[in-house]
Amino acid sequence: MPTSKNIALIYNRYVDDMYAYALHLGFNEDTVMDAIHDVFYKLHINRVSFENIYNPKFYLFRALKNRLIDICKESKEYLGLTETPEKISESMPFRLQVTIEDEMIREEDLAEIRQKVENVLNNLTDRQREIVYLKYINEYTYEEIAELMQISVLACRNLLSKSMTKLKALSKPILQDFPFIFLFIHIC
Amino acid sequence: MQNKHKKNDFLRFLKDEKFIEWKLFPSDELTAYWENFLQEHPNERENMTLAEEHFRNIRLSSYSLSPEKKEEAIIKLEHSIHTFNTKRKILRVLYVAAACAAIFILSVLYIRINNNQPKADAILSDYIVGSELQSENIRLITNNKTTSFQENINIEISNTGVARIKTDNENQEDISMDEKTLNTLIVPYGKRSSLTLADGSKVWLNSGSTLIFPTQFTENNREIHLTSGEMYIEVAPDSQKPFYVHTSDFNVKVYGTKFNVSAYTDSPQSVVLIEGRVSLQHGNKQETFLSPNEQAIYADNGTFNKQKVNVNQFICWKEGYLEFDDTPMEDVLLQIGRYYNLSFNYDKNTSLKGHTCTGKIILFDNLDNVMTTLALISSTTFTKEGKQIYITINPNKTSMPMEK
């Protein structure tokens, strides 16, 4: 059973990632902090031992997502709608924020790069962006992502490969620009 | 110039969506594409490595919690957990307490049932019938005028001969009393009253009592008459004026003290001394002196039988409860009957003969609660039908009272 001191330690270690993930899912800060509080409180009540959990961070993400789905459900039931957790999970937005801090690159170049990365991300669906976020930033496996998003592993792979094909169709081959570069170098 | 441009060539990669895509989610296809590109343009390897390094500065998520907020959230969490732990501890204690209480009650019941088994052989009649009697008012007779009260009252007599009467409901009434005639306070069964006399002595009157008292103590002696019933009195000390309590059987001479006088017509009259010193006298016979914690019971031949008693049992009625210690069931029913104005009728050879009762009964306003408690501590069962109350001894294995 985790003592309150242990809980504080675990909280400190994972709260930032949980906080960011929930904000990306489109919840406001107060709701997010309440949801995280509830997750850790429940851990204590249910006497969950962290020594037996293979990947604590994944466990916490899952608990947090379940809690957020419940919160959605409560508010939707309040409005008189009833939805399954899958549908709620499906309908949650997922927004990413692109920031670059690089002293070596000039401001206007940074703006252009940011624009390009945003283009890439904006052409994805919310669920695809969520996969990108989980895979690229949190380094989760397909199996973990599938469980978190309540979809099958296959569906998860398909979602990601679809996002790839979409991206490929978008991007112009870089080579087209290169002859111009070589020319430019030669002139100088 | 060429160097400068070369320096910024890696930016082309960062601005290429295919490169961004490859960096965000590398697939075999994209990896093959870029490896192929490097083979065709080997001099771009340096730029690409540089672009890859700079790509790490691109963040898709910039949310982070301020240290203050984090601290605040942890404190909140620890508070919630602490509250929960405290609740859990209290619950655990309650569970244990409930379990202990259950075991205790069960064992008491078991012991009682076992104890009662031999006595059950003597069972003759099956039950006792108690009936609620017509409720009467408390009456105060002064100046040949009678004032009635439906509720218990508390009377205080001032030096000026005014009786201030307070009911349980905090209603207040002043009655002026004649100094020459005696006053009578009649407390019927089912009611109680208390009275502060002009000298400051305090009297508690139990159910079914009649007390005659003067407005002022003008004589050389202070004298009151308990014509029937029971009273507890705390006499204000006054060495100049001895205090006397007269009953139909004897006189109590008081030397500054607290004591209880019982003068019911249906049981032997008695005095229990709590504090101080009193003497009892029947007619002109010899005085009997009582010491604290002693009871004197009047015997018909004009003498008294003295015994040591637990005084609390005799004065607890004024505090609103009754205490019994192996008290015969008949006495118990008599006391409860007086308090609630009930009449219990039973055969002389009742099954309750020899049945005793030990414990305390809080004298609630609600008779049902009292009967429930009585049933529990005397291992009887009661049923109520209208104004009639039926009490039966709990049946047990050795004999069934109904078979008689």
Side-chain angles (χ1 to χ4, degrees):
Chain A
M1 181 192 137
T3 62
S4 66
K5 238 187 181 167
N6 278 337
I7 284 265
L9 236 105
I10 296 162
Y11 189 93
N12 240 326
R13 191 182 304 165
Y14 296 109
V15 69
D16 283 324
D17 287 336
M18 293 168 77
Y19 174 75
Y21 179 53
L23 283 183
H24 286 306
L25 280 167
F27 291 88
N28 69 41
E29 198 180 326
D30 286 344
T31 314
V32 169
M33 290 317 284
D34 284 349
I36 295 174
H37 174 273
D38 293 349
V39 166
F40 280 95
Y41 182 63
K42 243 191 175 162
L43 279 181
H44 176 79
I45 291 176
N46 299 338
R47 306 174 178 214
V48 174
S49 165
F50 268 82
E51 284 136 36
N52 303 330
I53 294 170
Y54 172 65
N55 184 346
K57 187 177 168 186
F58 170 71
Y59 182 95
L60 290 171
F61 263 57
R62 213 191 135 184
L64 177 62
K65 179 125 196 212
N66 287 340
R67 181 69 198 126
L68 291 170
I69 288 172
D70 282 348
I71 288 171
C72 264
K73 221 173 160 181
E74 279 159 22
S75 69
K76 290 222 165 127
E77 266 166 17
Y78 176 71
L79 293 171
L81 307 162
T82 40
E83 301 220 36
T84 60
E86 291 77 19
K87 269 197 177 163
I88 292 169
S89 177
E90 191 65 41
S91 64
M92 282 180 183
F94 202 92
R95 298 261 162 259
L96 289 169
Q97 274 190 322
V98 182
T99 49
I100 318 169
E101 274 175 37
D102 199 321
E103 285 165 8
M104 303 279 287
I105 304 172
R106 284 183 304 156
E107 204 55 54
E108 58 256 47
D109 287 326
L110 283 181
E112 197 183 339
I113 294 167
R114 183 161 52 237
Q115 189 55 53
K116 289 277 161 101
V117 177
E118 274 169 5
N119 285 347
V120 169
L121 293 169
N122 285 342
N123 282 295
L124 301 176
T125 66
D126 288 317
R127 298 284 72 74
Q128 286 169 333
R129 268 194 292 276
E130 188 174 355
I131 295 179
V132 169
Y133 175 80
L134 293 170
K135 186 118 181 65
Y136 175 72
I137 297 173
N138 288 296
E139 296 171 326
Y140 285 124
T141 64
Y142 283 119
E143 285 73 19
E144 285 167 342
I145 292 171
E147 206 180 330
L148 257 178
M149 294 178 62
Q150 315 225 337
I151 53 177
S152 70
V153 177
L154 192 71
C156 179
R157 279 177 189 279
N158 284 345
L159 259 176
L160 199 58
S161 68
K162 255 185 224 159
S163 73
M164 306 283 211
T165 21
K166 226 176 178 178
L167 284 171
K168 267 170 227 156
L170 262 170
S171 50
K172 284 174 272 171
I174 201 168
L175 272 176
Q176 282 179 1
D177 290 341
F178 272 86
F180 173 71
I181 299 168
F182 296 137
L183 189 71
F184 193 68
I185 293 165
H186 281 285
I187 291 166
C188 302
Chain B
M1 199 59 190
Q2 195 178 347
N3 245 357
K4 199 184 175 189
H5 275 283
K6 268 211 158 165
K7 221 179 180 178
N8 286 331
D9 275 347
F10 71 94
L11 286 176
R12 296 211 158 261
F13 286 95
L14 290 179
K15 289 172 187 173
D16 185 280
E17 291 184 358
K18 205 155 191 168
F19 182 78
I20 293 168
E21 186 193 328
W22 180 47
K23 284 289 116 187
L24 283 180
F25 14 87
S27 69
D28 294 344
E29 208 181 325
L30 280 168
T31 310
Y33 173 87
W34 286 107
E35 273 172 2
N36 188 34
F37 173 83
L38 278 180
Q39 270 178 9
E40 282 175 32
H41 312 273
N43 50 344
E44 288 297 325
R45 183 175 291 277
E46 202 187 322
N47 281 334
M48 197 197 260
T49 315
L50 208 55
E52 280 173 333
E53 275 171 26
H54 282 280
F55 194 86
R56 287 194 205 111
N57 291 327
I58 300 178
R59 304 240 174 275
L60 298 186
S61 169
S62 60
Y63 296 124
S64 72
L65 208 50
S66 70
E68 298 85 50
K69 277 229 158 142
K70 214 181 204 180
E71 188 63 29
E72 195 183 299
I74 288 178
I75 288 168
K76 191 181 162 203
L77 178 67
E78 280 175 339
H79 179 76
S80 301
I81 289 173
H82 179 76
T83 312
F84 172 78
N85 282 348
T86 317
K87 269 190 204 155
R88 181 147 67 186
K89 253 178 228 160
I90 291 169
L91 263 184
R92 211 172 286 159
V93 169
L94 281 181
Y95 279 136
V96 171
C100 287
I103 291 168
F104 177 75
I105 290 169
L106 285 176
S107 43
V108 166
L109 286 179
Y110 178 78
I111 290 164
R112 289 215 160 265
I113 289 165
N114 275 356
N115 281 351
N116 288 335
Q117 273 173 6
K119 286 179 186 169
D121 295 341
I123 286 170
L124 292 172
S125 63
D126 22 13
Y127 53 80
I128 302 164
V129 185
S131 40
E132 283 183 52
L133 303 177
Q134 189 67 42
S135 147
E136 286 176 64
N137 289 342
I138 295 174
R139 280 170 292 158
L140 175 66
I141 304 165
T142 176
N143 311 342
N144 294 322
K145 219 181 98 200
T146 305
T147 319
S148 296
F149 303 92
Q150 284 188 339
E151 290 168 66
N152 294 343
I153 54 169
N154 174 10
I155 307 175
E156 267 181 51
I157 299 168
S158 68
N159 293 329
T160 54
V162 175
R164 173 155 295 178
I165 298 156
K166 285 180 193 163
T167 65
D168 285 353
N169 285 351
E170 301 294 321
N171 289 336
Q172 199 172 306
E173 191 177 335
D174 286 352
I175 293 178
S176 64
M177 291 171 150
D178 184 19
E179 300 228 347
K180 291 181 184 87
T181 58
L182 290 172
N183 312 300
T184 307
L185 179 62
I186 301 165
V187 182
Y189 287 112
K191 301 277 162 68
R192 264 83 35 209
S193 286
S194 66
L195 170 68
T196 308
L197 296 168
D199 67 331
S201 299
K202 207 158 165 25
V203 179
W204 281 262
L205 282 171
N206 205 347
S207 310
S209 305
T210 303
L211 184 76
I212 299 171
F213 60 96
T215 307
Q216 302 287 340
F217 296 106
T218 45
E219 310 287 319
N220 290 333
N221 296 330
R222 293 178 285 173
E223 287 180 80
I224 59 173
H225 296 262
L226 179 68
T227 52
S228 70
E230 184 171 23
M231 68 173 219
Y232 169 79
I233 180 165
E234 290 177 7
V235 178
D238 185 347
S239 51
Q240 305 299 313
K241 290 184 178 180
F243 199 104
Y244 289 94
V245 178
H246 304 285
T247 75
S248 58
D249 283 342
F250 53 80
N251 306 321
V252 186
K253 191 178 177 190
V254 181
Y255 302 86
T257 184
K258 295 177 185 174
F259 61 99
N260 192 75
V261 183
S262 174
Y264 285 110
T265 44
D266 50 3
S267 36
Q269 300 194 0
S270 67
V271 174
V272 174
L273 182 63
I274 288 87
E275 210 179 281
R277 196 163 146 82
V278 296
S279 80
L280 310 178
Q281 196 176 23
H282 171 76
N284 290 326
K285 293 206 169 163
Q286 203 187 335
E287 281 182 89
T288 304
F289 286 89
L290 266 188
S291 308
N293 299 321
E294 277 186 336
Q295 181 189 33
I297 303 171
Y298 177 74
D300 280 334
N301 58 10
T303 59
F304 296 91
N305 298 320
K306 282 205 290 188
Q307 60 180 13
K308 281 266 174 205
V309 290
N310 170 13
V311 292
N312 199 41
Q313 252 175 276
F314 296 89
I315 60 163
C316 53
W317 59 266
K318 79 180 177 71
E319 308 294 345
Y321 68 95
L322 295 178
E323 190 178 314
F324 304 113
D325 179 19
D326 224 10
T327 311
M329 199 63 190
E330 292 98 314
D331 285 358
V332 173
L333 289 178
L334 201 58
Q335 287 190 45
I336 290 175
R338 282 173 193 154
Y339 201 96
Y340 289 99
N341 197 20
L342 298 168
S343 133
F344 288 101
N345 302 307
Y346 40 86
D347 204 349
K348 276 266 183 284
N349 298 320
T350 170
S351 55
L352 288 188
K353 257 276 183 289
H355 201 84
T356 62
C357 179
T358 300
K360 279 184 189 175
I361 296 179
I362 308 276
L363 297 163
F364 295 103
D365 288 341
N366 181 342
L367 177 63
D368 285 353
N369 290 347
V370 174
M371 291 309 294
T372 309
T373 316
L374 175 65
L376 195 71
I377 67 170
S378 61
S379 49
T380 55
T381 311
F382 85 96
T383 44
K384 211 174 161 211
E385 280 172 30
K387 288 194 177 284
Q388 302 276 313
I389 296 166
Y390 300 88
I391 302 175
T392 42
I393 298 271
N394 285 346
N396 53 54
K397 295 155 213 152
T398 50
S399 63
M400 290 295 293
M402 290 303 186
E403 284 166 9
K404 269 284 162 191

